[in-house]
């Protein structure tokens, strides 16, 4: 049987601001709040969109992974000791 495992880890901190329009907030003002077609503000807006997509993808990942997620061992003994299984082989993705 083919097995694969995913580990998801995202941690990026970004602080971005337009020099000419420091008050522009892509989250509040959206694309319509960009003045004079400022390319930097457009970049901020695109960054915000990318972040929303990432959040959505993260939620989707968690939703789909939930049935397969291994529950961490509680204080009780594991129900299915896995001594009979062969050692896990390296998976190539
Ligand atoms: Zn700007």
């Amino acid at each position: 049987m083919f097995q694969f495992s995913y580990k998801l880890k995202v941690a990026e901190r970004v602080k971005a601001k337009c020099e000419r329009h420091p008050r522009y907030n892509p989250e509040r003002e959206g694309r319509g709040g960009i003045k004079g077609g400022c390319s930097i503000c457009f970049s901020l807006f695109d960054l915000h969109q990318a972040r929303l997509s990432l959040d959505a993808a993260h939620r989707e990942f968690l939703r789909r992974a939930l049935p397969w997620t291994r529950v961490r061992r509680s204080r009780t003994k594991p129900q299915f000791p896995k001594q009979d299984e062969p050692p896990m082989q390296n998976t190539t993705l």
Side-chain angles (χ1 to χ4, degrees):
M1 193 181 106
F2 178 71
Q3 282 189 7
F4 60 95
S5 67
Y6 287 136
K7 190 173 181 182
L8 183 67
K9 191 177 177 186
V10 178
E12 297 293 337
R13 181 176 286 266
V14 174
K15 211 168 184 177
K17 187 170 80 169
C18 177
E19 291 289 325
R20 279 190 282 169
H21 312 100
R23 306 187 71 172
Y24 172 64
N25 182 338
E27 197 173 355
R28 277 207 310 267
E29 300 164 56
R31 188 183 283 264
I34 298 173
K35 288 174 184 138
C38 174
S39 61
I40 294 171
C41 287
F42 265 112
S43 291
L44 296 181
F45 178 76
D46 288 342
L47 179 64
H48 175 62
Q49 292 298 109
R51 194 257 150 96
L52 292 180
S53 305
L54 188 61
D55 282 350
H58 186 198
R59 277 196 300 274
E60 179 71 4
F61 180 89
L62 292 179
R63 190 176 72 80
R64 292 189 180 270
L66 190 64
W68 310 97
T69 304
R70 263 191 216 179
V71 184
R72 289 187 190 270
R73 281 200 188 145
S74 53
R75 58 258 176 248
T76 55
K77 286 181 184 174
Q79 283 177 305
F80 306 104
K82 301 207 167 188
Q83 288 149 359
D84 297 331
E85 274 188 10
M88 190 136 65
Q89 293 176 1
N90 288 339
T91 49
T92 16
L93 293 177

Coordinates of all heavy atoms in Angstrom, one line a residue:
M1 N 0.8 -1.2 0.0 CA 0.0 0.0 0.0 C 0.9 1.2 0.0 O 1.9 1.3 0.7 CB -0.9 0.0 1.2 CG -2.0 1.0 1.2 SD -3.0 0.9 2.7 CE -2.5 2.4 3.5
F2 N 0.5 2.2 -0.8 CA 1.2 3.4 -0.9 C 0.8 4.3 0.3 O -0.3 4.5 0.6 CB 0.9 4.1 -2.2 CG 1.6 5.4 -2.3 CD1 3.0 5.5 -2.5 CD2 0.9 6.6 -2.3 CE1 3.6 6.7 -2.6 CE2 1.5 7.8 -2.4 CZ 2.9 7.9 -2.6
Q3 N 1.8 4.8 1.0 CA 1.5 5.7 2.1 C 2.3 7.0 1.8 O 3.3 7.0 1.2 CB 2.1 5.1 3.4 CG 1.2 4.1 4.0 CD 1.7 3.7 5.4 OE1 2.6 4.4 5.9 NE2 1.1 2.7 5.9
F4 N 1.7 8.0 2.3 CA 2.4 9.3 2.3 C 2.0 10.1 3.5 O 1.0 9.9 4.1 CB 2.2 10.1 1.0 CG 0.8 10.4 0.8 CD1 0.3 11.7 1.1 CD2 -0.1 9.6 0.1 CE1 -1.1 12.0 0.9 CE2 -1.4 9.9 -0.1 CZ -1.9 11.1 0.3
S5 N 2.9 11.0 3.9 CA 2.5 11.8 5.0 C 2.9 13.3 4.7 O 3.8 13.6 4.0 CB 3.3 11.4 6.3 OG 4.7 11.6 6.1
Y6 N 2.0 14.2 5.2 CA 2.2 15.6 5.0 C 2.4 16.2 6.4 O 1.7 15.9 7.3 CB 1.0 16.2 4.4 CG 0.9 15.9 2.9 CD1 -0.3 15.6 2.4 CD2 2.0 16.0 2.1 CE1 -0.5 15.3 1.0 CE2 1.8 15.7 0.7 CZ 0.6 15.4 0.2 OH 0.4 15.1 -1.1
K7 N 3.3 17.1 6.4 CA 3.4 18.0 7.6 C 3.3 19.4 7.1 O 4.0 19.9 6.3 CB 4.8 17.7 8.3 CG 4.9 18.4 9.6 CD 6.2 18.0 10.2 CE 6.3 18.6 11.6 NZ 7.6 18.2 12.2
L8 N 2.3 20.1 7.7 CA 2.0 21.4 7.2 C 2.6 22.4 8.2 O 2.3 22.3 9.4 CB 0.5 21.6 7.0 CG 0.1 23.0 6.5 CD1 0.6 23.2 5.1 CD2 -1.4 23.1 6.5
K9 N 3.4 23.3 7.8 CA 3.9 24.3 8.7 C 4.1 25.6 7.9 O 4.8 25.7 6.9 CB 5.2 23.9 9.2 CG 5.8 24.7 10.3 CD 7.0 24.1 10.9 CE 7.6 25.0 11.9 NZ 8.9 24.5 12.4
V10 N 3.4 26.7 8.3 CA 3.5 27.9 7.6 C 3.7 29.0 8.7 O 2.9 29.1 9.6 CB 2.2 28.3 6.8 CG1 2.3 29.6 6.2 CG2 2.0 27.2 5.8
A11 N 4.8 29.7 8.6 CA 5.0 30.8 9.5 C 5.8 31.9 8.8 O 7.0 31.8 8.6 CB 5.8 30.3 10.7
E12 N 5.1 32.9 8.3 CA 5.8 34.0 7.7 C 5.2 35.3 8.3 O 4.0 35.4 8.5 CB 5.5 34.0 6.2 CG 6.1 32.8 5.5 CD 7.6 32.7 5.5 OE1 8.2 33.8 5.6 OE2 8.2 31.6 5.3
R13 N 6.1 36.2 8.6 CA 5.6 37.5 9.1 C 6.0 38.5 8.1 O 7.2 38.7 7.7 CB 6.2 37.7 10.4 CG 5.8 39.0 11.0 CD 6.4 39.2 12.4 NE 5.7 38.3 13.3 CZ 4.6 38.6 14.1 NH1 4.2 39.9 14.0 NH2 4.0 37.8 14.9
V14 N 5.1 39.3 7.6 CA 5.3 40.3 6.6 C 4.7 41.6 7.1 O 3.6 41.7 7.6 CB 4.6 39.9 5.3 CG1 4.8 41.0 4.2 CG2 5.3 38.6 4.7
K15 N 5.5 42.6 6.9 CA 5.0 44.0 7.2 C 5.2 44.8 6.0 O 6.4 45.2 5.7 CB 5.8 44.5 8.4 CG 5.0 45.5 9.3 CD 5.7 45.7 10.6 CE 4.8 46.6 11.5 NZ 5.5 46.8 12.8
A16 N 4.2 45.1 5.3 CA 4.3 45.8 4.0 C 3.5 47.1 4.0 O 2.4 47.1 4.6 CB 3.8 44.9 2.9
K17 N 4.0 48.1 3.4 CA 3.3 49.4 3.4 C 3.8 50.2 2.2 O 4.9 50.1 1.8 CB 3.7 50.2 4.7 CG 2.9 51.4 4.9 CD 3.2 52.0 6.3 CE 4.5 52.8 6.3 NZ 4.7 53.5 7.5
C18 N 2.8 50.9 1.6 CA 3.2 51.7 0.4 C 3.7 53.0 0.9 O 3.1 53.7 1.8 CB 1.9 51.9 -0.4 SG 2.3 53.0 -1.8
E19 N 4.9 53.5 0.4 CA 5.5 54.7 0.9 C 4.6 55.9 0.5 O 4.5 56.9 1.3 CB 6.8 54.9 0.2 CG 7.9 53.9 0.7 CD 8.3 54.2 2.1 OE1 8.4 55.3 2.5 OE2 8.6 53.2 2.8
R20 N 3.9 55.8 -0.6 CA 3.2 57.0 -1.1 C 1.8 57.0 -0.4 O 1.2 58.0 -0.3 CB 3.0 57.0 -2.6 CG 4.3 57.6 -3.3 CD 4.0 57.8 -4.7 NE 4.1 56.5 -5.5 CZ 3.6 56.3 -6.7 NH1 3.1 57.4 -7.4 NH2 3.7 55.2 -7.3
H21 N 1.2 55.8 -0.2 CA -0.1 55.7 0.4 C 0.0 54.8 1.7 O -0.5 53.7 1.7 CB -1.1 55.1 -0.6 CG -1.0 55.7 -1.9 ND1 -0.3 55.1 -3.0 CD2 -1.5 56.9 -2.4 CE1 -0.4 55.9 -4.1 NE2 -1.1 57.0 -3.7
P22 N 0.6 55.4 2.7 CA 0.8 54.6 3.9 C -0.5 54.2 4.6 O -0.5 53.2 5.4 CB 1.6 55.5 4.8 CG 1.4 56.8 4.3 CD 1.1 56.7 2.9
R23 N -1.6 54.8 4.3 CA -2.8 54.5 5.0 C -3.6 53.5 4.2 O -4.7 53.1 4.7 CB -3.7 55.8 5.2 CG -2.9 56.8 5.9 CD -3.7 58.0 6.3 NE -4.6 57.6 7.3 CZ -5.4 58.5 8.0 NH1 -5.4 59.7 7.7 NH2 -6.2 58.1 8.9
Y24 N -3.2 53.1 3.0 CA -3.9 52.1 2.2 C -3.9 50.7 3.0 O -2.9 50.2 3.3 CB -3.3 51.9 0.8 CG -4.0 50.8 0.1 CD1 -5.3 50.9 -0.3 CD2 -3.3 49.7 -0.3 CE1 -5.9 49.9 -0.9 CE2 -3.9 48.6 -1.0 CZ -5.2 48.8 -1.3 OH -5.8 47.7 -1.9
N25 N -5.1 50.2 3.2 CA -5.3 48.9 3.8 C -6.1 48.0 2.8 O -7.3 48.2 2.7 CB -6.1 49.1 5.1 CG -6.2 47.8 5.9 OD1 -6.2 46.7 5.3 ND2 -6.4 47.9 7.1
P26 N -5.4 47.1 2.2 CA -6.1 46.2 1.2 C -7.2 45.4 1.8 O -8.2 45.1 1.1 CB -5.0 45.3 0.7 CG -3.9 45.4 1.8 CD -4.0 46.7 2.4
E27 N -7.1 45.1 3.1 CA -8.2 44.3 3.7 C -9.5 45.1 3.8 O -10.6 44.6 3.6 CB -7.7 43.9 5.1 CG -8.5 42.8 5.7 CD -7.9 42.3 7.0 OE1 -6.9 42.8 7.4 OE2 -8.6 41.5 7.7
R28 N -9.4 46.4 4.2 CA -10.6 47.2 4.3 C -11.0 47.9 3.0 O -12.2 47.9 2.7 CB -10.3 48.4 5.3 CG -10.4 48.0 6.8 CD -10.8 49.1 7.6 NE -9.9 50.3 7.4 CZ -8.8 50.5 8.1 NH1 -8.5 49.7 9.1 NH2 -8.0 51.5 7.9
E29 N -10.0 48.4 2.2 CA -10.4 49.2 1.1 C -10.5 48.4 -0.2 O -11.1 48.9 -1.2 CB -9.4 50.3 0.9 CG -9.4 51.2 2.2 CD -8.2 52.1 2.2 OE1 -8.0 52.9 1.3 OE2 -7.4 52.1 3.2
G30 N -9.8 47.3 -0.2 CA -9.9 46.4 -1.4 C -9.2 47.1 -2.6 O -8.5 48.0 -2.5
R31 N -9.6 46.5 -3.8 CA -9.0 47.0 -5.0 C -9.4 48.5 -5.3 O -8.7 49.3 -5.9 CB -9.3 46.1 -6.2 CG -8.6 46.4 -7.5 CD -9.1 45.4 -8.6 NE -8.6 44.1 -8.5 CZ -7.5 43.7 -9.2 NH1 -6.9 44.5 -10.0 NH2 -7.0 42.5 -9.0
G32 N -10.7 48.8 -4.9 CA -11.2 50.1 -5.2 C -10.5 51.2 -4.5 O -10.6 52.4 -4.9
G33 N -9.8 50.9 -3.4 CA -9.2 51.9 -2.6 C -7.8 52.3 -3.1 O -7.2 53.2 -2.6
I34 N -7.4 51.7 -4.2 CA -6.1 52.0 -4.7 C -6.1 53.3 -5.5 O -7.0 53.5 -6.4 CB -5.5 50.9 -5.6 CG1 -5.4 49.6 -4.8 CG2 -4.2 51.2 -6.3 CD1 -5.0 48.4 -5.6
K35 N -5.2 54.2 -5.2 CA -5.3 55.6 -5.8 C -4.3 55.6 -7.0 O -3.2 55.3 -6.8 CB -5.0 56.6 -4.8 CG -6.1 56.8 -3.8 CD -5.7 57.8 -2.7 CE -6.8 57.8 -1.7 NZ -6.3 57.9 -0.3
G36 N -4.8 56.1 -8.1 CA -4.0 56.4 -9.2 C -3.3 55.2 -9.8 O -2.2 55.3 -10.4
G37 N -3.9 54.0 -9.6 CA -3.3 52.8 -10.1 C -1.9 52.5 -9.6 O -1.0 52.0 -10.3
C38 N -1.6 52.9 -8.4 CA -0.3 52.7 -7.8 C 0.1 51.2 -7.8 O -0.6 50.4 -7.3 CB -0.3 53.3 -6.3 SG 1.2 53.0 -5.4
S39 N 1.2 51.0 -8.3 CA 1.6 49.5 -8.5 C 2.0 48.9 -7.2 O 1.8 47.7 -7.0 CB 2.8 49.4 -9.5 OG 3.9 50.2 -8.9
I40 N 2.5 49.7 -6.2 CA 2.9 49.1 -4.9 C 1.6 48.8 -4.2 O 1.5 47.7 -3.6 CB 3.7 50.1 -4.1 CG1 5.0 50.3 -4.9 CG2 3.9 49.7 -2.7 CD1 5.9 51.5 -4.3
C41 N 0.6 49.6 -4.2 CA -0.7 49.3 -3.6 C -1.3 48.1 -4.2 O -1.9 47.2 -3.5 CB -1.6 50.5 -3.7 SG -1.2 51.9 -2.6
F42 N -1.2 48.0 -5.6 CA -1.7 46.8 -6.2 C -0.9 45.5 -5.7 O -1.6 44.5 -5.5 CB -1.5 46.9 -7.8 CG -2.7 47.4 -8.4 CD1 -2.8 48.6 -9.0 CD2 -3.9 46.6 -8.5 CE1 -3.9 49.1 -9.7 CE2 -5.0 47.1 -9.1 CZ -5.1 48.3 -9.7
S43 N 0.3 45.7 -5.5 CA 1.1 44.5 -4.9 C 0.6 44.2 -3.5 O 0.5 43.0 -3.2 CB 2.6 44.9 -4.9 OG 3.1 45.0 -6.1
L44 N 0.3 45.2 -2.7 CA -0.2 44.9 -1.4 C -1.5 44.2 -1.5 O -1.8 43.3 -0.7 CB -0.4 46.2 -0.6 CG 0.9 47.0 -0.3 CD1 0.6 48.3 0.5 CD2 1.9 46.1 0.4
F45 N -2.4 44.7 -2.5 CA -3.7 44.0 -2.6 C -3.5 42.5 -3.0 O -4.1 41.6 -2.5 CB -4.5 44.8 -3.7 CG -5.8 44.1 -4.0 CD1 -6.9 44.3 -3.1 CD2 -6.0 43.4 -5.1 CE1 -8.1 43.7 -3.4 CE2 -7.2 42.8 -5.4 CZ -8.3 43.0 -4.5
D46 N -2.6 42.3 -4.0 CA -2.3 40.9 -4.4 C -1.8 40.1 -3.3 O -2.1 38.9 -3.2 CB -1.3 40.9 -5.6 CG -1.9 41.5 -6.9 OD1 -3.1 41.5 -7.0 OD2 -1.1 41.8 -7.8
L47 N -0.9 40.7 -2.5 CA -0.4 40.0 -1.3 C -1.5 39.6 -0.4 O -1.6 38.4 0.1 CB 0.6 40.9 -0.6 CG 1.2 40.3 0.7 CD1 2.1 39.1 0.4 CD2 2.1 41.4 1.4
H48 N -2.5 40.5 -0.2 CA -3.6 40.2 0.7 C -4.5 39.1 0.1 O -4.9 38.2 0.8 CB -4.5 41.5 0.8 CG -5.7 41.3 1.6 ND1 -5.8 40.8 2.9 CD2 -7.0 41.4 1.2 CE1 -7.0 40.7 3.3 NE2 -7.8 41.0 2.3
Q49 N -4.7 39.1 -1.2 CA -5.4 38.1 -1.9 C -4.7 36.7 -1.7 O -5.4 35.7 -1.5 CB -5.6 38.3 -3.4 CG -6.5 39.5 -3.7 CD -7.9 39.3 -3.2 OE1 -8.3 39.9 -2.3 NE2 -8.6 38.4 -3.8
A50 N -3.4 36.7 -1.9 CA -2.6 35.5 -1.7 C -2.8 34.9 -0.3 O -2.9 33.7 -0.1 CB -1.1 35.8 -2.0
R51 N -2.8 35.8 0.6 CA -3.0 35.4 2.0 C -4.3 34.8 2.2 O -4.5 33.8 2.9 CB -2.8 36.6 2.9 CG -2.6 36.3 4.4 CD -3.9 36.6 5.1 NE -4.1 35.7 6.2 CZ -3.7 36.0 7.5 NH1 -3.2 37.2 7.7 NH2 -4.0 35.2 8.5
L52 N -5.4 35.4 1.6 CA -6.7 34.8 1.8 C -6.7 33.4 1.1 O -7.3 32.5 1.7 CB -7.7 35.7 1.1 CG -8.0 37.1 1.8 CD1 -9.1 37.8 1.0 CD2 -8.4 36.9 3.2
S53 N -6.1 33.3 0.0 CA -6.0 32.0 -0.7 C -5.3 31.0 0.2 O -5.7 29.8 0.3 CB -5.3 32.1 -2.0 OG -5.9 33.0 -2.8
L54 N -4.2 31.4 0.8 CA -3.5 30.5 1.7 C -4.3 30.1 2.8 O -4.3 28.9 3.2 CB -2.2 31.2 2.1 CG -1.2 30.4 2.9 CD1 -0.7 29.3 2.0 CD2 0.0 31.3 3.4
D55 N -5.0 31.0 3.4 CA -5.9 30.7 4.6 C -7.0 29.6 4.1 O -7.2 28.7 4.8 CB -6.6 31.9 5.1 CG -5.7 32.7 6.0 OD1 -4.6 32.2 6.3 OD2 -6.1 33.9 6.3
A56 N -7.6 29.9 3.0 CA -8.6 29.0 2.5 C -8.0 27.6 2.2 O -8.6 26.6 2.6 CB -9.2 29.5 1.2
A57 N -6.8 27.6 1.6 CA -6.1 26.3 1.4 C -5.8 25.6 2.7 O -5.9 24.4 2.8 CB -4.9 26.5 0.5
H58 N -5.4 26.3 3.6 CA -5.1 25.8 5.0 C -6.3 25.1 5.6 O -6.3 24.0 6.0 CB -4.5 26.9 5.9 CG -4.0 26.4 7.2 ND1 -3.8 27.2 8.3 CD2 -3.7 25.1 7.6 CE1 -3.4 26.5 9.3 NE2 -3.3 25.2 8.9
R59 N -7.4 25.8 5.5 CA -8.7 25.3 6.0 C -9.1 24.0 5.3 O -9.5 23.0 5.9 CB -9.8 26.3 5.9 CG -9.8 27.3 7.1 CD -11.1 28.1 7.1 NE -11.4 28.8 5.9 CZ -11.0 30.0 5.7 NH1 -10.3 30.7 6.5 NH2 -11.3 30.6 4.5
E60 N -8.9 24.1 4.0 CA -9.3 22.9 3.2 C -8.4 21.7 3.5 O -8.8 20.6 3.6 CB -9.1 23.3 1.7 CG -9.4 22.1 0.7 CD -10.9 21.8 0.7 OE1 -11.7 22.5 1.3 OE2 -11.3 20.8 0.0
F61 N -7.1 22.0 3.7 CA -6.2 21.0 4.1 C -6.6 20.3 5.4 O -6.7 19.1 5.5 CB -4.8 21.5 4.2 CG -3.7 20.5 4.6 CD1 -3.0 19.8 3.6 CD2 -3.4 20.3 5.9 CE1 -2.1 18.9 4.0 CE2 -2.5 19.4 6.3 CZ -1.8 18.7 5.3
L62 N -6.9 21.1 6.4 CA -7.3 20.6 7.7 C -8.6 19.8 7.6 O -8.7 18.7 8.2 CB -7.5 21.7 8.7 CG -6.2 22.5 9.1 CD1 -6.5 23.6 10.1 CD2 -5.2 21.6 9.7
R63 N -9.5 20.3 6.8 CA -10.8 19.6 6.6 C -10.6 18.2 6.0 O -11.2 17.2 6.5 CB -11.7 20.5 5.8 CG -13.2 20.0 5.7 CD -14.0 20.9 4.9 NE -13.8 20.8 3.5 CZ -14.3 19.9 2.7 NH1 -15.0 19.0 3.2 NH2 -14.0 19.9 1.4
R64 N -9.8 18.2 5.0 CA -9.6 16.9 4.3 C -8.7 16.0 5.1 O -8.7 14.8 5.0 CB -9.0 17.1 2.9 CG -10.0 17.8 2.0 CD -9.5 17.8 0.6 NE -10.4 18.5 -0.3 CZ -11.4 17.8 -0.9 NH1 -11.5 16.5 -0.8 NH2 -12.2 18.4 -1.7
A65 N -7.8 16.6 5.9 CA -6.8 15.7 6.6 C -7.4 15.2 7.9 O -6.9 14.2 8.4 CB -5.6 16.6 7.0
L66 N -8.5 15.8 8.4 CA -9.0 15.4 9.7 C -9.3 13.9 9.8 O -8.9 13.3 10.8 CB -10.3 16.2 9.9 CG -10.9 16.1 11.3 CD1 -9.9 16.7 12.3 CD2 -12.2 16.8 11.5
P67 N -10.0 13.3 8.8 CA -10.2 11.8 9.0 C -9.0 11.0 9.0 O -9.0 9.9 9.5 CB -11.0 11.5 7.7 CG -11.5 12.7 7.1 CD -10.5 13.8 7.6
W68 N -7.9 11.5 8.5 CA -6.6 10.7 8.5 C -5.6 11.2 9.6 O -4.6 10.5 9.7 CB -6.0 10.9 7.1 CG -6.9 10.7 6.0 CD1 -7.6 11.7 5.3 CD2 -7.3 9.5 5.5 NE1 -8.4 11.1 4.4 CE2 -8.2 9.7 4.4 CE3 -7.0 8.1 5.7 CZ2 -8.8 8.7 3.7 CZ3 -7.6 7.1 5.0 CH2 -8.5 7.4 4.0
T69 N -6.0 12.2 10.3 CA -5.1 12.7 11.3 C -4.9 11.7 12.4 O -5.9 11.2 12.9 CB -5.5 14.1 11.8 OG1 -5.7 14.9 10.7 CG2 -4.5 14.7 12.8
R70 N -3.7 11.4 12.8 CA -3.5 10.6 13.9 C -3.7 11.3 15.2 O -3.1 12.4 15.4 CB -2.1 10.1 13.9 CG -2.0 8.7 13.2 CD -0.6 8.1 13.5 NE -0.2 7.4 12.3 CZ 0.9 6.8 12.1 NH1 1.8 6.9 13.1 NH2 1.2 6.1 11.1
V71 N -4.5 10.7 16.0 CA -4.8 11.3 17.3 C -3.6 11.0 18.2 O -3.0 9.9 18.2 CB -6.1 10.7 17.9 CG1 -6.4 11.4 19.3 CG2 -7.2 10.8 17.0
R72 N -3.2 12.0 18.9 CA -2.0 11.8 19.8 C -2.4 10.9 20.9 O -3.5 10.8 21.3 CB -1.6 13.2 20.4 CG -1.0 14.1 19.3 CD -0.4 15.3 20.0 NE 0.0 16.3 19.0 CZ 1.2 16.3 18.5 NH1 2.1 15.5 18.9 NH2 1.5 17.2 17.6
R73 N -1.4 10.1 21.3 CA -1.6 9.1 22.3 C -2.1 9.7 23.6 O -1.5 10.6 24.1 CB -0.4 8.3 22.5 CG -0.2 7.3 21.4 CD 0.7 6.2 21.8 NE 1.0 5.4 20.6 CZ 2.2 4.8 20.4 NH1 3.1 4.9 21.2 NH2 2.3 4.1 19.3
S74 N -3.2 9.1 24.1 CA -3.7 9.6 25.3 C -3.0 8.8 26.5 O -2.1 8.0 26.2 CB -5.2 9.5 25.4 OG -5.6 8.2 25.0
R75 N -3.5 9.0 27.7 CA -2.9 8.3 28.8 C -3.2 6.8 28.7 O -2.5 6.0 29.4 CB -3.4 8.8 30.1 CG -4.9 8.8 30.3 CD -5.5 10.2 30.0 NE -6.9 10.1 30.1 CZ -7.7 10.3 29.1 NH1 -7.2 10.5 27.9 NH2 -9.0 10.3 29.2
T76 N -4.2 6.3 28.0 CA -4.4 4.9 27.9 C -3.4 4.2 26.9 O -2.8 4.9 26.1 CB -5.9 4.6 27.4 OG1 -6.0 5.3 26.2 CG2 -6.9 5.1 28.4
K77 N -3.4 2.9 27.0 CA -2.5 2.2 26.1 C -3.0 2.2 24.7 O -4.2 2.3 24.5 CB -2.4 0.7 26.6 CG -1.6 0.6 27.8 CD -1.5 -0.9 28.2 CE -0.7 -1.1 29.5 NZ -0.8 -2.5 30.0
P78 N -2.1 2.2 23.7 CA -2.6 2.2 22.3 C -3.4 0.9 22.1 O -3.1 -0.1 22.5 CB -1.3 2.2 21.5 CG -0.2 1.9 22.5 CD -0.7 2.2 23.9
Q79 N -4.5 1.1 21.3 CA -5.4 0.0 21.1 C -4.8 -1.0 20.1 O -5.1 -2.2 20.2 CB -6.7 0.6 20.6 CG -7.6 1.2 21.7 CD -8.8 1.8 21.1 OE1 -8.8 2.6 20.2 NE2 -10.0 1.4 21.6
F80 N -4.1 -0.5 19.2 CA -3.5 -1.4 18.1 C -2.0 -1.3 18.1 O -1.4 -0.5 17.4 CB -4.1 -1.0 16.7 CG -5.6 -0.9 16.7 CD1 -6.2 0.3 16.7 CD2 -6.3 -2.1 16.6 CE1 -7.6 0.4 16.6 CE2 -7.7 -2.0 16.6 CZ -8.3 -0.8 16.6
P81 N -1.4 -2.2 18.9 CA 0.1 -2.2 18.8 C 0.5 -2.6 17.4 O -0.1 -3.5 16.8 CB 0.4 -3.3 19.9 CG -0.8 -4.0 20.3 CD -2.0 -3.2 19.8
K82 N 1.5 -1.9 16.9 CA 1.9 -2.1 15.5 C 3.2 -2.9 15.4 O 4.1 -2.6 14.6 CB 2.1 -0.8 14.9 CG 0.8 0.1 14.9 CD 0.7 1.0 13.8 CE -0.7 1.6 13.7 NZ -0.9 2.4 12.5
Q83 N 3.3 -3.9 16.2 CA 4.6 -4.7 16.2 C 4.7 -5.6 15.0 O 5.8 -5.9 14.5 CB 4.7 -5.6 17.5 CG 4.9 -4.7 18.7 CD 4.3 -5.3 19.9 OE1 3.7 -6.4 19.9 NE2 4.5 -4.7 21.1
D84 N 3.6 -6.0 14.4 CA 3.6 -6.9 13.3 C 3.9 -6.2 12.0 O 4.2 -6.9 11.0 CB 2.2 -7.6 13.2 CG 2.0 -8.4 14.4 OD1 3.0 -8.9 15.0 OD2 0.8 -8.6 14.8
E85 N 3.8 -4.9 12.0 CA 4.0 -4.2 10.7 C 5.5 -4.1 10.4 O 6.3 -3.9 11.3 CB 3.5 -2.8 10.8 CG 2.0 -2.7 10.4 CD 1.5 -1.3 10.3 OE1 2.3 -0.4 10.3 OE2 0.3 -1.1 10.3
P86 N 5.8 -4.2 9.1 CA 7.2 -4.0 8.7 C 7.6 -2.5 9.0 O 6.7 -1.7 9.0 CB 7.2 -4.3 7.2 CG 5.8 -4.1 6.8 CD 5.0 -4.5 8.0
P87 N 8.9 -2.3 9.2 CA 9.3 -0.9 9.3 C 8.9 0.0 8.2 O 8.9 -0.5 7.0 CB 10.8 -1.0 9.5 CG 11.2 -2.3 9.0 CD 10.0 -3.2 9.2
M88 N 8.5 1.2 8.4 CA 8.0 2.1 7.4 C 9.2 2.4 6.4 O 10.3 2.7 6.8 CB 7.5 3.4 8.0 CG 6.8 4.2 6.9 SD 5.2 4.9 7.5 CE 5.7 6.0 8.7
Q89 N 8.8 2.3 5.1 CA 9.9 2.5 4.1 C 9.8 4.0 3.7 O 8.8 4.7 3.9 CB 9.6 1.7 2.9 CG 9.8 0.2 3.2 CD 9.5 -0.7 2.0 OE1 9.1 -0.1 1.0 NE2 9.6 -1.9 2.2
N90 N 10.9 4.4 3.2 CA 11.0 5.8 2.8 C 10.0 6.0 1.6 O 10.0 5.3 0.7 CB 12.4 6.2 2.3 CG 13.3 6.3 3.5 OD1 12.9 6.5 4.6 ND2 14.6 6.2 3.2
T91 N 9.2 7.1 1.7 CA 8.3 7.3 0.6 C 8.9 8.4 -0.2 O 9.4 9.4 0.3 CB 6.9 7.8 1.2 OG1 7.2 8.8 2.2 CG2 6.2 6.7 1.9
T92 N 8.7 8.2 -1.5 CA 9.1 9.3 -2.4 C 7.9 10.0 -2.9 O 7.0 9.3 -3.4 CB 9.9 8.7 -3.6 OG1 9.7 7.3 -3.6 CG2 11.4 8.9 -3.4
L93 N 7.9 11.2 -2.9 CA 6.8 12.0 -3.4 C 7.1 12.6 -4.8 O 8.2 13.0 -5.0 CB 6.5 13.1 -2.4 CG 6.0 12.7 -1.0 CD1 5.7 13.9 -0.1 CD2 4.7 11.9 -1.2
Ligands
LIG1 ZN1 0.5 53.2 -3.2

